[in-house]
């Protein structure tokens, strides 16, 4: 897909319409703000959520997040090589 635009990544804080609890997710969006995401915290999405905050992630954000994840969950280079990834 060479002519596909790069994905926009955002982190959203939403309020669930049923429980009123907060939800946190990371999502990949297209130019129409449609896409898919991963819920990091809070109740499951049921279609009643209200978006409270959206922050678009930058390349610097991605680098910092990767470094934090690598420190917390180091990748075993030998296991990755034998797994073919």
């Amino acid at each position: 897909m060479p002519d596909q635009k790069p994905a926009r990544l955002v982190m959203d804080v939403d309020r669930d319409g049923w429980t009123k609890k907060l939800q946190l997710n990371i999502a990949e969006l297209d130019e129409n703000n449609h896409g898919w995401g991963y819920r990091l915290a809070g109740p499951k999405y049921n279609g009643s959520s209200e978006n409270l905050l959206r922050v678009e992630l930058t390349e610097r954000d991605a680098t910092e997040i990767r470094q934090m994840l690598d420190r917390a969950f180091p990748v075993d280079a030998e296991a990755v090589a034998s797994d073919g990834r």
Side-chain angles (χ1 to χ4, degrees), residues 26-78:
I26 184 169
E28 178 180 350
L29 304 177
D30 64 15
E31 62 276 359
N32 299 314
N33 286 329
H34 297 114
W36 66 276
Y38 180 79
R39 180 177 48 91
L40 297 166
K44 290 185 178 181
Y45 282 88
N46 58 37
S48 68
S49 299
E50 172 191 4
N51 183 260
L52 302 177
L53 177 67
R54 171 168 284 168
V55 177
E56 191 159 340
L57 298 177
T58 65
E59 188 173 338
R60 180 176 178 204
D61 296 329
T63 299
E64 295 289 331
I65 292 167
R66 276 189 199 99
Q67 289 173 355
M68 293 172 73
L69 290 170
D70 288 345
R71 282 193 299 275
F73 306 101
V75 176
D76 181 355
E78 288 181 23

Side-chain angles (χ1 to χ4, degrees), residues 9-42:
L9 293 178
V10 297
M11 290 196 78
D12 284 337
V13 175
D14 300 324
R15 182 175 309 279
D16 178 62
W18 293 355
T19 66
K20 306 301 183 206
K21 293 184 179 181
L22 296 179
Q23 299 158 307
L24 174 65
N25 77 75
I26 184 169
E28 178 180 350
L29 304 177
D30 64 15
E31 62 276 359
N32 299 314
N33 286 329
H34 297 114
W36 66 276
Y38 180 79
R39 180 177 48 91
L40 297 166

